[in-house]
Each structure stands twice: as structure tokens, then as C-alpha cells.
Amino acid sequence: MRTEMTEGILLLLLAAGIAAAALPELEDLIRILLHRTRTWIRRFQNEEDWLSVRREQYVEKVPEHIRKLLQMTFSMGTRQSVRAFFLVSAALAGVTVFFAARWVSLFLAVLAAVCSGSIPYLVLRCIVQERRVEGSKEGEVLVTEILNYYKICYCNMQEAVEAAALHMEGAPYCRQLLLNLSRGLQKTSSASEVKDLMEEFRFSIGTSWASILATDMYLACASGLKVTDSLADLAASMRQARKLEEMNRRENNEAGVILKYLVPAGGLLMTAGGIHFFGLTTEEYLQYQFGTGPGLTWLLLTLVAYIAAIAVYLLLSKRKFDL
């Protein structure tokens, strides 16, 4: 045992010495790899030009939904990025089936593959949900600014959106949305393109007040209708909803504490208990856990349940500010 430990320490020291000697060359290599990685990632990102973004849209609902999620999270709203997303998801599922099918039943292997294959989608949904929650909290500022500049600009919605995007404070997420919307409105030439822009805006926030605001802006931009009263009613409703939310707010973090701390701690305690109370060595425990069918079966079931619980908690724990 001591001989193996000594050999391991000597190997680590040898690796550290080689790394120290080759450090300048490694820095150059890492810099080149990072540059090539950024160049490769830019291939999946769409240009800021609204017309080029519009050409990337799908008619089918599922690919278009994935494209919107990628656009909202990583600015990768291209068809190439959608294909890469499905390839990554399929690869995760395939690798899981390949390794799990040797030890567990086919049903459990497929269940684990579905769970692992859905991880990229769940990650996108969690990021979108978090951004929507943050954006929804800025809704009162957004609607008030749009209303004020709409009056200042003599009921010209396009100028109001541009002015609000340039001068709005206290709402960074919604300000970025307005900047994108303003650039898009400058390049649109038909009512259908304006409608698509407003749909992107509504999807980015995902609340009822965002739908009402997007409808008002569409009517003002595409038809020239005066929407001052509608915006004023929406602003008043949001102020009332804010007061009700502050009165009824309750802090409840028990579920989050259990998922973050209790479940991992329970797993570590079970591992320590299994080694200590059953007289197992670490090698025997690892062999049983990862080298036998029952051990791998229960591990996969635990991981599937834990990932599902985390996904549900992240999607439902934070509520958006809505009417």
C-alpha cells in the first residue's frame, strides 16, 4: 500500500515538473485552442440583422421552440445550432444507453437515456425561466417608461421604443429587449414582420402583461392606432398587482434547502455508513456500486429522481411577476 502511494506521489511530482517546464508552450496552445473555440461558437450565432434572423425561423413548432430558447439564452438562434442541440441530446442519450444497458434492465436504461437526453433542454428552460423571472420584475418600470415616451413622442411607438431603450434605468433585462426591438423595427417593412418581432418580445418575458404590451405596440406600429389609454390602464393594473404581491409574499425555502444540502449530505452519509457499519472497504463499496447490476440500478434511479426534483424546483420555485 505504501509502495503504491509512493509511486502515485512520484508520478504526480513528475507530471507537475513536466507541466512547469512546458508552461510557456502550454499557454500558447491554450490561447490558440480558446481562439479556435470562440471562432467555432460564432458559427452557431446569428447576426444582429433582423432579416437574417428571420430567415433562420422554422415552420415546425418543435424546432422553432428550440431555436427561440437558444436565441434567448446564448444568441444562437440559427438552424445549425438547432441541429447541434439535437445531436448533443441524442449523443447523451446514446452514451447512457450504451453504458447502462450492460448492467440494468432495458426499461431502466431507456428511462436513464431519456433523462440524460433531456438535460440540455432542461438547462435551457431553467435559464429562460430565470431570465423571465428577472424580466417580469422590471415590468412596471418598462410599461411606465413606454407610456411616458409614447406621450412625449406624440404617439409614435417606434420612436417611443427607441427613446425608452436609450434612457430607461433600473431595468437592464427589459432595456436590452427594447434595444433589440428597436433595431428590428428599423428594418421591418410589413405588418407580419412587426408581428414576428412582437412575438419574440412576448416570448422573452412570457407573462400576460407582456402579451398586452406587445399587442398594444403592434397595433400602434402596424396600424397607427392610439393606445395611450390601454397603456395607462396596464400601468395602473401593474402598480396594483405589485402592492398585492408585496402584501402576500411569503418566504418558503424548505424545498430548496432539502435539495441543495440534505439530499447530497444523505448520500454521503449512506456511503460512509455502508463502509463503516458493514465492514466494507472503499474498493469493495465502489465495486458493488458501479460494478454490479443492483448497485448501478439504484444509483440510476436515485440520479433520475434527483435530476427531476431539481428541474421541477427550478422551474416552479421562482414566480414571475404577473397580473
Side-chain angles (χ1 to χ4, degrees):
M1 185 68 180
R2 292 181 179 178
T3 304
E4 294 177 354
M5 184 178 296
T6 304
E7 291 178 354
I9 294 174
L10 291 176
L11 287 175
L12 289 176
L13 292 175
L14 177 62
I18 294 174
L23 188 59
E25 289 77 8
L26 288 177
E27 290 180 352
D28 294 337
L29 178 62
I30 292 173
R31 192 178 297 108
I32 294 173
L33 290 176
L34 289 176
H35 174 71
R36 292 186 177 180
T37 302
R38 295 191 192 99
T39 305
W40 180 73
I41 291 176
R42 291 194 190 99
R43 295 170 51 200
F44 297 95
Q45 293 180 332
N46 56 294
E47 300 176 4
E48 292 295 332
D49 185 6
W50 160 245
L51 296 178
S52 66
V53 174
R54 198 165 187 261
R55 285 194 295 267
E56 299 291 341
Q57 293 179 353
Y58 284 92
V59 178
E60 298 82 4
K61 292 184 178 180
V62 174
E64 177 61 17
H65 176 69
I66 299 299
R67 190 198 67 79
K68 286 183 177 180
L69 292 179
L70 290 170
Q71 174 65 29
M72 185 176 174
T73 52
F74 301 110
S75 298
M76 293 182 177
T78 63
R79 296 194 175 193
Q80 188 176 8
S81 64
V82 175
R83 290 191 291 268
F85 172 85
F86 284 116
L87 286 175
V88 171
S89 300
L92 288 175
V95 170
T96 303
V97 168
F98 178 77
F99 286 102
R102 300 173 56 189
W103 303 103
V104 300
S105 64
L106 180 61
F107 173 76
L108 184 57
V110 172
L111 179 62
V114 171
C115 183
S116 62
S118 63
I119 288 177
Y121 178 75
L122 292 176
V123 170
L124 292 180
R125 290 292 300 183
C126 290
I127 296 175
V128 168
Q129 178 69 9
E130 183 177 359
R131 294 186 179 181
R132 282 178 169 177
V133 170
E134 296 300 323
S136 67
K137 296 177 181 178
E138 303 171 357
E140 187 176 352
V141 177
L142 172 64
V143 174
T144 302
E145 291 293 318
I146 289 290
L147 176 59
N148 291 338
Y149 283 106
Y150 184 65
K151 294 177 180 178
I152 294 173
C153 297
Y154 301 100
C155 300
N156 187 318
M157 183 56 74
Q158 183 171 342
E159 292 182 1
V161 170
E162 183 178 357
L166 293 176
H167 302 98
M168 185 170 60
E169 297 180 355
Y173 179 75
C174 289
R175 184 172 184 268
Q176 184 61 45
L177 291 180
L178 285 185
L179 287 172
N180 296 336
L181 181 61
S182 176
R183 286 195 293 264
L185 288 174
Q186 294 174 2
K187 299 178 183 298
T188 54
S189 58
S190 64
S192 62
E193 292 180 353
V194 175
K195 186 177 180 179
D196 289 340
L197 268 176
M198 297 306 170
E199 175 61 24
E200 293 280 350
F201 175 82
R202 183 204 62 78
F203 179 82
S204 298
I205 302 178
T207 59
S208 59
W209 65 259
S211 299
I212 297 172
L213 179 60
T215 302
D216 288 343
M217 290 191 296
Y218 169 74
L219 293 175
C221 292
S223 305
L225 295 178
K226 189 175 181 180
V227 294
T228 306
D229 294 337
S230 178
L231 290 174
D233 292 340
L234 179 59
S237 299
M238 295 188 70
R239 285 193 293 269
Q240 184 65 25
R242 176 72 66 183
K243 294 178 181 178
L244 293 175
E245 184 193 39
E246 291 175 356
M247 291 174 58
N248 299 327
R249 183 178 301 170
R250 296 289 185 271
E251 295 294 338
N252 187 2
N253 295 325
E254 288 83 358
V257 172
I258 290 174
L259 286 174
K260 291 179 181 178
Y261 303 109
L262 187 57
V263 173
L268 293 176
L269 289 175
M270 289 178 62
T271 302
I275 294 175
H276 178 72
F277 292 105
F278 292 99
L280 299 175
T281 63
T282 304
E283 291 78 7
E284 290 174 341
Y285 179 84
L286 294 176
Q287 174 63 28
Y288 177 79
Q289 185 69 75
F290 298 100
T292 62
L296 192 57
T297 298
W298 283 108
L299 177 63
L300 288 176
L301 287 174
T302 302
L303 291 177
V304 168
Y306 187 54
I307 292 174
I310 291 177
V312 171
Y313 173 74
L314 291 176
L315 291 175
L316 300 180
S317 59
K318 295 183 178 181
R319 296 183 178 180
K320 293 179 288 187
F321 171 67
D322 209 348
L323 301 179

